[in-house]
Amino acid sequence: MEKEELHKRIKYLKVAMSIVVLSLTAFFMTVFFSAPVHADTKEEMDKAKQEKEEKEEELNAAQQNLANTQGTLSVLEAEKDTYQGQMYLLNERMQLVADELAVIEAKMALKQLEIDDTRQQLTEAREDAADQYEAMKQRIVWFYEEGESSFVELLVSGRKFSELLNYAAYFEQIQQYDREKLEEYIATGDAIAMQEAELTVQLEELSAMREEIVAKQQEVNGYISATAQQIAVIADTVAATEAAEKAYMEECDRKAEEVAAADAEYQALKAQYEKELAESRAAQLAAKRDVSSVVFEEGDEYLLANLIFCEVGCYDYEGQLAVGAVVMNRLLSSRYPDTITGVIYARYQFSPVLDGHLASALANDKAQANDGSCYKAARAAMAGETNVGNCYYFRTPIEGLEGIRIGGHIYY
């Protein structure tokens, strides 16, 4: 018994070593040739399609954000142009007000010169009137003080009466001249004073106009300051929006690349899945080997049982038998290898081979779990028992895929 157990262990060790070699070969072929095609290809394809659609939605969202941002930027640019147009008009208006103010100030300066000149004339006229008045007083005083004695002397001198009249007329003319000159100076002074008053009123009117223009200038300057602030705010917003636009453009480029990559992956998986379906249909139509003609090798049961464990676990016998039946269907088809080892380690077929789970199960013989139900299913399948008909693939259920549903898989 001990020799038989030892022989059995050596046999399993040899099988395990050959399996490890085959596993490593499959692994390197996977690395150096292409992506795996196995029972979950459709699931991966649907996942890739979903990822592609998600990337397309993200791209659409980014493009919508970009379009919204560009629309906002267009509105801001138009608003900025409007404010800059207003600023141009306000500057023009400010220049007109400044010119108007310069004209008023020039008029005020001229008016002030006129007032100063008029005041000078008024001062001179008043001085002339005062001089005339003083001269007239002196002549009157002289006449009454000196002229009277001269007039008496003239009377007693016995001169002609005509001389006397001439003297009196002369005195009267002097008085008349003094009165006229005094009145003239007084009238001139009054006229100049009136002119000064008029000029002062005009200057006050110009001053009032200047105050109005200064107020207008301050008002326009306030509009200019407010508009400049609005332009500065819009300029900052434009800068931020342009930065957002650039970020969205970069995001769109990145999302477009992701969509292209996801689409390429999806198309590759789709092509592979269509190839699998075609192979499955072709296998169903291909010539079949009779199970009685199959010669099993040592370790086939051990290998198949552990593959069954990796695919469906150890608690669903119907599922275990279905996986074993798929392997046997392939073995019996002329389109697949004619050994269990060749079928299981065929290039890119079963995911546990590719991800290392089968190698781990073989190293620990995990198929022994649950009273070795995986071994029971393997033996039944190898004997020709099947519950999936001529199915050559299986996978987790997905919408639109028809087949035989057993446990958590659909067989097709």
Side-chain angles (χ1 to χ4, degrees), residues 19-20 23-24 26-27 38 40 302-313 344-345 350-367:
I19 289 172
V20 168
S23 297
L24 290 173
F27 172 76
H38 46 80
D40 289 336
Y302 179 76
L303 176 59
L304 180 57
N306 278 280
L307 174 69
I308 291 171
F309 172 82
C310 291
E311 290 287 6
V312 294
I344 291 176
Y345 285 98
F350 293 94
S351 55
V353 175
L354 301 172
D355 60 23
H357 284 89
L358 179 59
S360 176
L362 290 170
N364 298 283
D365 193 14
K366 293 182 179 180

Side-chain angles (χ1 to χ4, degrees), residues 80-350:
K80 181 180 177 182
D81 290 342
T82 299
Y83 277 114
Q84 287 178 335
Q86 291 179 1
M87 179 65 82
Y88 175 79
L89 294 176
L90 287 171
N91 286 328
E92 290 292 318
R93 185 180 175 188
M94 177 63 83
Q95 186 59 50
L96 292 175
V97 172
D99 293 343
E100 188 177 358
L101 180 61
V103 171
I104 292 297
E105 289 178 343
K107 288 182 178 180
M108 289 179 65
L110 291 174
K111 195 62 66 177
Q112 187 63 53
L113 289 175
E114 290 183 40
I115 290 173
D116 293 341
D117 184 62
T118 302
R119 285 176 177 171
Q120 181 63 32
Q121 293 178 18
L122 180 59
T123 300
E124 293 175 356
R126 286 174 177 171
E127 290 177 353
D128 291 341
D131 292 342
Q132 182 65 32
Y133 180 70
E134 187 64 30
M136 186 180 68
K137 286 197 305 180
Q138 290 178 1
R139 278 192 286 273
I140 291 172
V141 170
W142 176 85
F143 176 78
Y144 284 105
E145 291 179 354
E146 301 293 336
E148 185 176 358
S149 59
S150 299
F151 185 71
V152 172
E153 289 178 359
L154 185 60
L155 286 174
V156 297
S157 64
R159 292 192 179 183
K160 295 179 180 179
F161 184 71
S162 59
E163 292 180 2
L164 182 61
L165 291 176
N166 288 337
Y167 183 81
Y170 172 73
F171 180 73
E172 182 65 24
Q173 288 176 355
I174 291 175
Q175 285 187 324
Q176 182 66 29
Y177 171 78
D178 286 337
R179 280 195 301 271
E180 289 176 356
K181 272 295 182 183
L182 183 59
E183 290 174 358
E184 180 183 345
Y185 290 145
I186 292 173
T188 300
D190 292 341
I192 293 174
M194 186 178 296
Q195 183 180 4
E196 180 189 18
E198 290 177 356
L199 291 172
T200 301
V201 170
Q202 292 174 4
L203 182 62
E204 291 174 353
E205 290 175 351
L206 289 172
S207 179
M209 291 174 64
R210 181 184 181 280
E211 290 179 0
E212 291 179 0
I213 294 172
V214 169
K216 188 187 298 183
Q217 189 179 45
Q218 292 174 348
E219 180 183 7
V220 174
N221 191 57
Y223 289 146
I224 289 175
S225 298
T227 304
Q229 290 177 357
Q230 289 292 334
I231 291 175
V233 170
I234 291 176
D236 292 341
T237 308
V238 166
T241 307
E242 287 176 341
E245 179 190 31
K246 181 180 179 182
Y248 282 130
M249 290 178 69
E250 292 174 351
E251 182 181 3
C252 286
D253 292 340
R254 186 171 63 255
K255 294 298 181 184
E257 291 176 357
E258 292 176 357
V259 167
D263 183 65
E265 181 180 359
Y266 168 72
Q267 294 300 333
L269 288 170
K270 181 180 178 182
Q272 186 60 47
Y273 179 66
E274 291 173 350
K275 178 182 177 182
E276 281 186 2
L277 289 179
E279 289 178 352
S280 178
R281 295 188 184 99
Q284 292 176 5
L285 298 174
K288 302 292 190 297
R289 303 184 184 98
D290 188 271
V291 68
S292 62
S293 66
V294 176
V295 178
F296 295 105
E297 301 175 355
E298 275 190 73
D300 281 353
E301 182 183 319
Y302 179 76
L303 176 59
L304 180 57
N306 278 280
L307 174 69
I308 291 171
F309 172 82
C310 291
E311 290 287 6
V312 294
C314 59
Y315 296 104
D316 178 11
Y317 180 77
E318 290 299 317
Q320 293 169 355
L321 177 59
V323 171
V326 166
V327 173
M328 286 302 299
N329 283 343
R330 292 190 179 191
L331 182 147
L332 295 175
S333 173
S334 60
R335 294 183 59 85
Y336 293 92
D338 58 359
T339 63
I340 287 180
T341 300
V343 169
I344 291 176
Y345 285 98
R347 196 175 177 190
Y348 319 131
Q349 295 303 306
F350 293 94

